[in-house]
Amino acid sequence: LSMLLLGSTPFSTYAAYAPVTGNPEDTYDAQTWAKLQDNVLEYDEIPDRVHVYNSSIEEIWKTLRDNKEKIDRNIQELDSQRGNMKRLKENAKDQKNMAGYGNYMMQEVILGKVVSGLRDTNLYTQKTVSSIQKGEKQITKAAQSLMISYDSLLKQRDTLGKLQELYAKQYEIAVNKHALGMATDQEVLTAQTNQLSAASSVASLDGGILQLKPNLCTLTGYPADASPELAPIPETDLSLMDQMNLEEDTKKAIGNNTTLISQRTSAKGSTTAGVEARLGMIEEGEQKLTIEMKRLYNDVFAQKEAFEGAKAGYQAAQKTHDKYTRMYQMGLLGESDYIGTEISYYQSKSAYESADTALRLAIETYNWAVQGFATVE
């Protein structure tokens, strides 16, 4: 019995939704479960994918379920033995065997207490589930960051791929103009440098994309060599900022932060100096986190301002690009000038996408800090 109970306790990671006590599909509605089963990973699905499919988290829930089943089997076996003791006790009583009667009665009582204790055993305690939840959130946070980075790299790769083609055309035009004496050596060199720089950036992005995807797959429960479709992350929802309240969020962050919880639950000290030192440490930790929350809050709004500026610039570039495209199609704009306008357009697009990524990361970092995942230094 002691081996069974000891075997159920060593958990080092944690979860974000209802415990998986049976079939995971019983936890979700049919539509949500069907989406988790398809071969498309969407950003909003990450917490559920981690909860159900991450191998480490899945193993922890499985261990809990297995230990619960072991306890249930032991209850049945001990209940059966208790029934046997009761029958033997009654037989001993009928046979006037008082020594046997006392022995069987004692064993019946002991077995009854053991069964009662096992029935009261709750492996899904708040402490255990909260512990698993914390681990799930840590993995979810990492997976979200990876998917944001992966999505950003894909968008950059697409934009830089277009720029690489345009710089190649620009270089070709510069070489032809140089042969006709219409371009300087410096103009040719600049065009060649732009082309090579874009090609190098594309190769670097390709390498980053190849590295990120297996890690993201593993965290979300796919095999590392799987090839699920990764749905594009939509533009950041600015309404998420409406839910931010620095004062209230800071209180929550202080209450949830693991470092501060450890400080608050540390030994209180046996001397006046020890007590004062501990209280000072707690106060200092809370002040540091308050400053960090303010910094994260300000960063969100700074990134929002940058995002809105980049978005306005991109929208203006789209209109200009459409205008020059029509002029080029009508023969009113030369190829060299048109390529220049296209390069400007894709540069604006890249700046907008980068600003969107930075804003999303800032919001996510702030929200995770509220949930207790912020460094207190």
Side-chain angles (χ1 to χ4, degrees):
L1 174 62
S2 62
M3 288 295 290
L4 170 68
L5 296 178
L6 284 172
S8 67
T9 55
F11 303 110
S12 57
T13 38
Y14 322 96
Y17 297 94
V20 181
T21 55
N23 294 323
E25 56 265 40
D26 296 336
T27 307
Y28 300 96
D29 59 57
Q31 182 178 3
T32 303
W33 182 245
K35 287 183 67 177
L36 290 177
Q37 296 297 299
D38 63 24
N39 201 40
V40 180
L41 176 61
E42 299 180 23
Y43 183 77
D44 291 342
E45 289 180 341
I46 290 177
D48 292 314
R49 287 286 317 182
V50 169
H51 180 56
V52 178
Y53 295 114
N54 177 270
S55 59
S56 298
I57 298 299
E58 185 181 24
E59 183 61 29
I60 291 169
W61 289 120
K62 181 179 181 299
T63 300
L64 270 178
R65 290 196 300 272
D66 289 347
N67 285 330
K68 178 65 168 61
E69 291 172 1
K70 289 177 183 177
I71 289 176
D72 290 342
R73 287 197 298 271
N74 276 322
I75 288 174
Q76 292 177 354
E77 292 172 4
L78 292 171
D79 245 346
S80 175
Q81 292 180 32
R82 186 165 67 98
N84 289 335
M85 292 304 106
K86 184 176 181 179
R87 285 191 293 274
L88 290 171
K89 179 191 73 174
E90 295 301 326
N91 290 338
K93 181 180 178 181
D94 292 342
Q95 296 170 7
K96 308 299 184 184
N97 179 3
M98 301 314 295
Y101 176 83
N103 179 50
Y104 295 135
M105 181 177 67
M106 180 180 66
Q107 293 189 54
E108 179 189 4
V109 170
I110 292 173
L111 287 169
K113 288 185 178 296
V114 173
V115 168
S116 178
L118 285 175
R119 285 194 173 124
D120 291 339
T121 300
N122 178 20
L123 297 183
Y124 294 91
T125 63
Q126 182 179 356
K127 181 178 180 181
T128 297
V129 172
S130 295
S131 183
I132 301 173
Q133 287 175 338
K134 179 184 174 185
E136 285 196 17
K137 288 179 180 179
Q138 288 173 326
I139 295 173
T140 297
K141 180 176 180 291
Q144 286 180 340
S145 179
L146 276 178
M147 188 162 183
I148 290 171
S149 297
Y150 184 86
D151 181 75
S152 176
L153 289 181
L154 280 182
K155 289 173 180 175
Q156 289 180 51
R157 172 64 176 81
D158 180 64
T159 301
L160 276 174
K162 299 288 186 183
L163 284 170
Q164 182 184 7
E165 294 175 8
L166 293 170
Y167 283 132
K169 289 182 180 178
Q170 201 174 55
Y171 173 60
E172 181 182 348
I173 291 173
V175 170
N176 291 335
K177 283 186 174 182
H178 184 269
L180 298 173
M182 299 171 62
T184 66
D185 291 343
Q186 183 60 46
E187 287 174 329
V188 173
L189 180 61
T190 298
Q192 184 182 34
T193 300
N194 289 337
Q195 179 193 16
L196 294 174
S197 177
S200 175
S201 296
V202 167
S204 178
L205 287 174
D206 286 340
I209 289 169
L210 287 174
Q211 289 179 356
L212 285 181
K213 190 168 184 178
N215 293 328
L216 178 59
C217 286
T218 299
L219 290 179
T220 52
Y222 294 99
D225 59 351
S227 55
E229 178 185 345
L230 302 184
I233 300 178
E235 181 181 278
T236 304
D237 182 3
L238 296 184
S239 68
L240 293 172
M241 299 175 64
D242 298 336
Q243 304 168 23
M244 293 168 55
N245 181 311
L246 180 59
E247 183 177 354
E248 293 301 317
D249 290 341
T250 299
K251 291 178 182 177
K252 292 176 184 177
I254 289 173
N256 293 330
N257 189 269
T258 305
T259 301
L260 298 187
I261 290 173
S262 176
Q263 291 176 354
R264 289 193 295 269
T265 56
S266 61
K268 296 184 178 180
S270 56
T271 64
T272 301
V275 171
E276 290 179 351
R278 174 178 173 274
L279 293 175
M281 177 184 65
I282 293 172
E283 183 179 0
E284 181 182 7
E286 292 181 356
Q287 288 176 349
K288 286 182 176 179
L289 183 54
T290 299
I291 293 171
E292 176 66 3
M293 289 299 296
K294 176 67 173 175
R295 185 191 71 79
L296 294 175
Y297 183 84
N298 289 339
D299 185 51
V300 169
F301 284 90
Q303 297 298 343
K304 175 178 179 284
E305 184 177 350
F307 166 75
E308 289 176 335
K311 184 175 182 180
Y314 175 50
Q315 290 172 337
Q318 283 181 308
K319 292 179 181 179
T320 302
H321 180 256
D322 291 343
K323 172 186 172 182
Y324 285 124
T325 297
R326 289 193 297 270
M327 290 177 63
Y328 177 66
Q329 291 171 344
M330 295 169 63
L332 301 176
L333 191 68
E335 183 179 23
S336 179
D337 291 332
Y338 178 63
I339 289 175
T341 64
E342 281 209 299
I343 289 174
S344 178
Y345 163 74
Y346 281 110
Q347 288 173 337
S348 296
K349 183 174 185 285
S350 178
Y352 155 70
E353 291 170 346
S354 296
D356 179 50
T357 297
L359 175 59
R360 180 179 292 278
L361 283 171
I363 293 174
E364 293 289 5
T365 301
Y366 178 87
N367 288 334
W368 280 116
V370 174
Q371 295 187 56
F373 296 91
T375 302
V376 181
E377 296 180 350

